[in-house]
Amino acid sequence: MRLLLMSDTHLPKRARELPPRLLELVPEADVVIHAGDWVDTATLDLLETRARRLIGVYGNNDGPELRARLPEVARAELGGLRFGVVHETGAARGREERCAREFPGLDVLVFGHSHIPWDTEAPGGPRLLNPGSPTDRRRQPHCTFMTAGISEGRLTGVRLHRLPPRR
């Protein structure tokens, strides 16, 4: 199973559109995960039409239209793994322990908000993945997203993709 993970697209405020490389991967993925801060409904509509399966949540910058269509927290079993998706997980300090406590029973938690790529494992809790942002790098050197796979009930090939600077 092929996964495509993104968050914090902030369209059209931070960019006019999703990067072409990211859009190319959407139909190739078995599941596309978006961890919130879409900002516009057009991006949700686009991904709903192009993705085989879309799992998304709303973020703190998402208005009533997106909140009416998306949950704050999403959960799904994918390839034998229990996934959770949420936008905010709080401060970086203590994140692993806090997420293990607040999201028991998950194997993987995908989150956003910080625009900072993150890949750690909580002791006794889930693997924590933040794909960064494909459109708003903030203080990071690159805009980013992640891909991963699931094989025989295991998360495999987690990869952070760095996008070239926008022109």
Side-chain angles (χ1 to χ4, degrees):
M1 180 178 287
R2 293 171 295 182
L3 308 177
L4 175 61
L5 288 65
M6 67 182 88
S7 187
D8 297 283
T9 48
H10 290 272
L11 295 178
K13 295 181 187 247
R14 299 292 185 217
R16 290 188 202 105
E17 59 191 15
L18 292 175
R21 178 67 187 132
L22 180 67
L23 282 174
E24 288 171 12
L25 294 174
V26 169
E28 296 175 14
D30 296 299
V31 182
V32 174
I33 297 174
H34 192 301
D37 271 5
W38 308 71
V39 179
D40 72 339
T41 58
T43 303
L44 175 57
D45 294 339
L46 175 70
L47 292 179
E48 282 180 333
T49 61
R50 293 194 182 182
R52 294 180 195 182
R53 180 175 179 189
L54 176 64
I55 300 170
V57 297
Y58 67 77
N60 61 298
N61 284 299
D62 294 328
E65 289 182 43
L66 287 161
R67 289 171 186 247
R69 293 174 61 184
L70 297 163
E72 182 177 12
V73 177
R75 295 175 189 266
E77 185 178 322
L78 303 173
L81 295 175
R82 297 159 299 179
F83 274 75
V85 184
V86 67
H87 185 63
E88 296 184 65
T89 60
R93 186 176 187 156
R95 178 174 284 139
E96 288 84 359
E97 293 79 11
R98 187 173 52 253
C99 288
R101 186 176 57 253
E102 292 178 12
F103 299 96
L106 293 181
D107 298 305
V108 181
L109 179 66
V110 180
F111 69 98
H113 189 60
S114 68
H115 298 221
I116 299 171
W118 189 282
D119 182 356
T120 60
E121 290 198 31
R127 179 143 177 203
L128 305 173
L129 299 175
N130 183 329
S133 171
T135 55
D136 184 11
R137 65 183 181 88
R138 288 204 182 152
R139 293 171 295 280
Q140 299 304 299
H142 303 278
C143 289
T144 59
F145 65 93
M146 285 180 170
T147 55
I150 300 175
S151 179
E152 298 178 6
R154 297 189 61 180
L155 191 64
T156 62
V158 175
R159 180 174 169 214
L160 181 68
H161 297 262
R162 294 179 174 151
L163 292 161
R166 289 194 312 260
R167 295 176 188 204

